[in-house]
């Protein structure tokens, strides 16, 4: 059918515009690539052989260790011209000032990284701590986690950092895991993948480089690789279908970095005592070749005993390079390690073109992160910016969405406000937010605080006192910064808990690692039980909102606790 003239002209104009726009976009892309290549080449060509190797090294930095330590890091930057820094504990203003100082003495701008699995609060004071990944694993709305990624990215950029060594994408299917545990989104590989990708995409949408860890999966170990080399005795099929699954999905989704774990995995490489970080079969053979990962491959910390126990004096760093790592993180002695790699290059053990490719990959990452046009970080209003209302509100939203009712209904959660009510917090030595918020709704109530080592005599008296109350709310609180799978309460306090939850009308709210629920005998006898995951003010407020029917509990258990409380349990 022939087109009428007006329609023909309109069709022609649309086609012309489409072609013109495509041509313009292509020219813009080519121009951007030319600028990047020019900057990378110009920097690369000024580097000596030793300085090129140094670009692969990221060293430790702190702002809580005093001037002598800070100056020692400055000396390493000045003398070795390393590629980047990994910041640990300290404060945001001190860190911003130190980053400005360190960048000024670096000939090539430094990539600045941090472990921010739950945001800056994982390392820095005076900043927002979002919920642990285990807590996030309970949330059903992944758009909230995407938004968290965006907020974390804002904080990183505001503080002059370019890389977040997050998310943790280990499937934590070992409740006794001493090193991952609450840092994981849970024991369901699909949930881990979806939430890890949501977090990653939120950060990357704002220009932050991210790093899924710890490939090929650190979730089923009972050894902390900081202290020894864990063994993964599983079959290749199991590793391929379970541990590696979230990493495969993240690679397909376009994640910019993968961190490799220090683990002995005979099914993938049977070389005795060889950590996966140092294995060419795992790093190059599986991650780069089989899975087709083209982004930044980052070693876990090379100062960890899993590596140094078997490969001291720079040998580990050399093997990490040979294995295929792009970023060698936290060497015990970067100067010794760089010398070791220099010698290997001279002897032909390492190919020059392979080194050149890796160095240019690091430089390209610096260019994409805006370091070609670096500016000093302003400390004006820094604390206010990092604690802005949008971040604080999201922190509460995430907590509201995570609270999980694993036993009971709304009617058993909200008991009669007129009856005599005991509101107990266990594991603390003073009134909690949970108690202060809840007693406003239960006027005929009394607060009881029990620390984790309360005397047996006092506990016996309290059990008798509780018999006088019609109903009991029990908050179980783990105040440790790293809440493990078992509470650190005395046996007598644990016995008290068992008796308290057996009260004829009791509601137990566990502000602790969800795995601890399995260690409280009789908790299933409570009228209702809530998993609240960790000891934060936000989660305590969320629990009270649920009890007082101002919030619907939508969370689902991200792990299986025991035969009674399984993954997916929740209203």
């Amino acid at each position: 059918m022939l087109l009428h003239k007006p329609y023909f002209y309109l069709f022609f104009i649309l086609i012309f515009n489409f072609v013109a726009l495509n041509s313009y976009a292509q020219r813009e892309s080519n121009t951007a690539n030319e600028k990047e290549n020019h900057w990378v080449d110009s920097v690369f060509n000024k580097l000596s052989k030793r300085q090129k190797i140094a670009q692969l090294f990221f060293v430790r930095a702190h702002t809580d260790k005093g001037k002598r330590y800070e100056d020692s890091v400055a000396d390493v930057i000045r003398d070795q011209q390393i590629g980047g820094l990994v910041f640990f504990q300290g404060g945001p203003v001190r860190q911003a000032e130190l980053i400005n100082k360190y960048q000024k003495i670096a000939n090539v701008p430094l990539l600045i990284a941090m472990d921010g699995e739950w945001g800056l609060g994982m390392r820095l004071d005076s900043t927002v701590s979002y919920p642990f990944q285990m807590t996030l694993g309970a949330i059903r709305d992944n758009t909230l986690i995407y938004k968290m990624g965006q907020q974390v990215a804002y904080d990183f950029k505001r503080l002059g950092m370019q890389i977040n060594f997050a998310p943790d994408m280990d499937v934590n299917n070992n409740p006794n895991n001493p090193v991952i545990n609450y840092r994981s989104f849970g024991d369901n590989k699909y949930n881990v993948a979806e939430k890890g990708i949501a977090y990653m995409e939120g950060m990357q949408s704002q220009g932050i480089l991210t790093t899924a860890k710890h490939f090929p999966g650190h979730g089923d170990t009972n050894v902390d690789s900081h202290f020894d080399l864990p063994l993964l005795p599983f079959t290749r099929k199991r590793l391929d279908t379970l541990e590696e699954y979230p990493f495969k999905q993240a690679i397909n989704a376009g994640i910019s970095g993968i961190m490799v774990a220090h683990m002995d995995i005979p099914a993938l490489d049977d070389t005795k005592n060889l950590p996966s970080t140092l294995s060419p079969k795992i790093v190059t053979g599986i991650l780069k070749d089989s899975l087709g990962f083209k982004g930044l491959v980052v070693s876990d910390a090379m100062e960890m005993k899993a590596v140094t126990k078997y490969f001291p004096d720079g040998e580990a760093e050399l093997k990490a390079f040979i294995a295929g790592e792009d970023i060698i993180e936290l060497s015990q002695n970067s100067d010794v390690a760089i010398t070791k790699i220099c010698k290997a290059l001279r002897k032909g053990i390492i190919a020059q073109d392979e080194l050149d490719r890796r160095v240019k990959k690091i430089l390209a990452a610096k260019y994409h992160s805006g370091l070609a046009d670096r500016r000093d970080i302003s400390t004006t209003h820094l604390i206010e910016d990092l604690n802005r209302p949008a971040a604080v509100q999201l922190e509460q939203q995430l907590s509201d969405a995570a609270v999980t009712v694993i036993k009971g209904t709304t009617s058993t959660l909200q008991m009669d406000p007129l009856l005599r009510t005991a509101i107990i917090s266990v594991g603390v030595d003073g009134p909690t937010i949970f108690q202060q918020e809840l007693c406003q709704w239960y006027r005929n109530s009394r607060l009881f605080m029990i620390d984790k080592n309360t005397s047996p005599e006092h506990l016996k008296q309290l059990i008798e006192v509780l018999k006088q109350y019609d109903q009991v709310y029990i908050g179980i609180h783990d105040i440790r910064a790293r809440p493990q799978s078992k509470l650190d309460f005395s046996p007598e306090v644990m016995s008290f808990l068992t008796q308290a939850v057996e009260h004829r009308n009791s509601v137990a709210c566990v502000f602790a690692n969800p795995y601890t629920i399995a260690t409280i005998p009789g908790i299933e006898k409570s009228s209702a039980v809530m998993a609240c995951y960790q000891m934060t003010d936000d989660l305590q407020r969320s629990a009270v909102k649920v009890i007082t029917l101002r919030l619907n509990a939508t969370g689902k258990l991200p792990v299986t606790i025991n035969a009674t409380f399984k993954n997916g349990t929740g209203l």
Side-chain angles (χ1 to χ4, degrees), residues 57-59 301-303 317 328-335 337:
F57 282 77
F58 282 42
V59 304
M302 300 300 286
E303 64 192 10
E317 289 84 349
I328 299 172
E329 185 200 4
L330 308 186
S331 170
Q332 273 195 318
N333 189 323
S334 53
D335 188 45

Side-chain angles (χ1 to χ4, degrees), residues 226-475:
H226 289 86
F227 305 113
D228 208 340
L229 181 63
L231 172 68
L232 251 66
F234 309 120
T235 64
R236 176 65 188 264
K237 181 179 180 181
R238 144 118 186 213
L239 294 163
D240 184 59
T241 57
L242 179 58
E243 273 79 10
E244 291 178 26
Y245 177 84
F247 297 98
K248 292 179 183 178
Q249 300 306 307
I251 290 168
N252 292 338
I255 197 158
S256 54
I258 300 282
M259 181 181 288
V260 184
H262 303 312
M263 292 184 296
D264 183 1
I265 315 174
L268 304 183
D269 190 332
D270 60 4
T271 307
K272 187 175 177 59
N273 294 328
L274 183 69
S276 39
T277 339
L278 315 186
S279 167
K281 292 180 181 178
I282 294 173
V283 178
T284 297
I286 296 176
L287 180 57
K288 289 186 169 182
D289 294 344
S290 297
L291 301 185
F293 181 62
K294 306 300 182 187
L296 292 169
V297 180
V298 184
S299 77
D300 207 346
M302 300 300 286
E303 64 192 10
M304 293 161 67
K305 293 292 191 294
V307 171
T308 59
K309 181 177 179 178
Y310 300 102
F311 302 97
D313 303 324
E315 188 65 26
E317 289 84 349
L318 172 59
K319 285 188 173 296
F321 181 91
I322 293 169
E325 311 283 352
D326 299 310
I327 292 176
I328 299 172
E329 185 200 4
L330 308 186
S331 170
Q332 273 195 318
N333 189 323
S334 53
D335 188 45
V336 169
I338 291 167
T339 299
K340 196 101 174 178
I341 294 174
C342 269
K343 288 179 179 177
L345 189 66
R346 194 162 55 247
K347 292 177 180 177
I349 298 169
I350 292 172
Q352 182 68 51
D353 61 347
E354 183 58 36
L355 171 64
D356 294 350
R357 274 195 296 271
R358 302 227 202 133
V359 175
K360 288 185 177 182
K361 189 192 280 192
I362 299 293
L363 295 176
K366 293 185 177 189
Y367 182 87
H368 281 290
S369 297
L371 287 172
D373 185 29
R374 191 198 71 81
R375 293 180 174 88
D376 276 357
I377 308 152
S378 170
T379 57
T380 305
H381 305 303
L382 179 59
I383 299 297
E384 294 90 336
D385 291 347
L386 296 177
N387 292 274
R388 61 203 173 279
V392 175
Q393 289 164 12
L394 180 60
E395 188 181 10
Q396 185 65 63
Q397 279 183 291
L398 291 162
S399 299
D400 287 351
V403 170
T404 308
V405 177
I406 60 175
K407 184 189 177 186
T409 63
T410 52
S411 60
T412 53
L413 282 167
Q414 187 182 54
M415 298 189 285
D416 192 333
L418 300 177
L419 296 178
R420 293 197 71 199
T421 307
I423 305 175
I424 308 169
S425 277
V426 183
V428 297
D429 56 9
T432 61
I433 294 292
F434 173 70
Q435 291 176 303
Q436 293 167 0
E437 295 270 331
L438 193 55
C439 72
Q440 296 177 30
W441 298 82
Y442 290 82
R443 297 292 184 178
N444 190 14
S445 63
R446 183 180 170 190
L447 309 185
F448 298 89
M449 281 71 70
I450 300 166
D451 70 41
K452 52 192 176 185
N453 293 303
T454 297
S455 70
E457 293 75 19
H458 183 71
L459 294 170
K460 286 176 185 177
Q461 292 170 9
L462 186 51
I463 286 295
E464 292 304 312
V465 170
L466 291 181
K467 292 175 182 178
Q468 302 169 23
Y469 286 82
D470 301 299
Q471 52 203 25
V472 180
Y473 284 100
I474 308 162

Side-chain angles (χ1 to χ4, degrees), residues 20-36 367:
L21 284 171
N22 269 356
S23 177
Y24 176 77
Q26 185 63 49
R27 287 198 304 274
E28 287 287 294
S29 176
N30 290 341
T31 301
N33 287 338
E34 287 172 8
K35 288 180 178 178
E36 176 190 327
Y367 182 87

Side-chain angles (χ1 to χ4, degrees), residues 458-512:
H458 183 71
L459 294 170
K460 286 176 185 177
Q461 292 170 9
L462 186 51
I463 286 295
E464 292 304 312
V465 170
L466 291 181
K467 292 175 182 178
Q468 302 169 23
Y469 286 82
D470 301 299
Q471 52 203 25
V472 180
Y473 284 100
I474 308 162
I476 301 165
H477 307 263
D478 189 344
I479 62 173
R480 293 175 292 182
R482 297 177 177 272
Q484 296 301 311
S485 301
K486 294 181 176 64
L487 294 165
D488 60 344
F489 300 171
S490 71
E492 292 79 13
V493 171
M494 293 300 293
S495 176
F496 166 83
L497 273 178
T498 298
Q499 296 174 73
V501 296
E502 290 177 350
H503 191 283
R504 61 188 178 278
N505 294 308
S506 69
V507 173
C509 301
V510 184
F511 301 100

